[in-house]
Amino acid sequence: MIFKVGDTFSEQFVVSAEVHSQFIQLFKDKNPLHTDEAFAIAKGFQGRVMHGNILNGFLSYFIGECLPTKDVIIHSQEIQFKNAVYINDALDFTATVEGVYDSVNAVEFKFSFKNAASKVVAKGKIQIGLFK
């Protein structure tokens, strides 16, 4: 197995205006919390809140492009959104191998996204399968 418990990976992702607008263009989610500055501020946020599922896209990129093998598939993922993400936030992503299951060729990671203030904005687990 190419992974072992404790292996840690990190990346940085930026929720740019382009990422935000392309997400809206692709998925048509124009909820005012994500698109209307005044609405979001009136609800107690600092500004427009970025779609949480943008982070799922970053997870997909991590699994598909950042691991030392391309022979992978996502089996399951769980994500908890803890704090709002705003336009142009730079997010530090860390994933640590929590379990290696040789008998079923699976690996489980615990991950988190932190903003520039080191505040956790999302965390969770993701399990992948490795092709033989």
Side-chain angles (χ1 to χ4, degrees), residues 83-119:
N83 289 288
V85 174
Y86 299 100
I87 197 86
N88 293 322
D89 272 359
L91 303 177
D92 290 321
F93 171 81
T94 304
T96 302
V97 175
E98 289 287 306
V100 175
Y101 310 100
D102 291 320
S103 61
V104 291
N105 293 321
V107 178
E108 185 172 78
F109 296 87
K110 246 180 136 171
F111 67 84
S112 68
F113 290 92
K114 292 181 181 178
N115 64 18
S118 295
K119 203 174 206 182

Side-chain angles (χ1 to χ4, degrees), residues 12 25 28 37 42-43 46 50 61-62 71 80 84 90 92 96-97 101-102 108 111-112:
Q12 188 175 75
Q25 183 179 352
K28 312 298 185 222
E37 193 84 13
K43 300 300 178 194
Q46 298 171 8
M50 299 298 97
Y61 172 81
F62 164 69
D71 291 335
Q80 300 168 2
D92 290 321
T96 302
V97 175
Y101 310 100
D102 291 320
E108 185 172 78
F111 67 84
S112 68

